[in-house]
Amino acid sequence: MHLLQSKVDITVIALLLGHATPSTTHQYIELDLKMKEQSLNQLHAPPSVRGRFKPSDSLLAFLEGL
C-alpha cells in the first residue's frame, strides 16, 4: 500500500512482488480511506441536459403507424 500511495505504477509493484501479471496484484490492493477520498475529490458531475424531450413530427407519425 505504501508503494501505491507513493504513486508507484501497479505494473512495477507487480514486478517487485514477483507476480506474473498486474491483475494478480489487484486482488491484494485495497484503497485506504485517504486514497478513496482523494479519488472521489477528482470526480466531476457530468453535464446535465436540461429540458424535456420533444419528438419530431416524423417520429410521432412513425409511432402512430405501428
Side-chain angles (χ1 to χ4, degrees), residues 33-45:
L33 290 178
K34 182 178 179 183
M35 292 177 69
K36 184 176 181 180
E37 182 180 10
Q38 289 172 346
S39 298
L40 292 175
N41 286 337
Q42 293 178 5
L43 297 177
H44 303 285

Side-chain angles (χ1 to χ4, degrees), residues 2-28:
H2 294 293
L3 291 171
L4 190 63
Q5 291 168 344
S6 299
K7 308 281 191 257
V8 175
D9 188 66
I10 187 76
T11 55
V12 174
I13 297 171
L15 289 171
L16 290 171
L17 294 175
H19 294 163
T21 65
S23 60
T24 307
T25 309
H26 278 284
Q27 58 187 321
Y28 298 105

Side-chain angles (χ1 to χ4, degrees), residues 30 33 42 45 48 50-51 61:
E30 294 182 19
L33 290 178
Q42 293 178 5
S48 61
R50 295 190 179 184

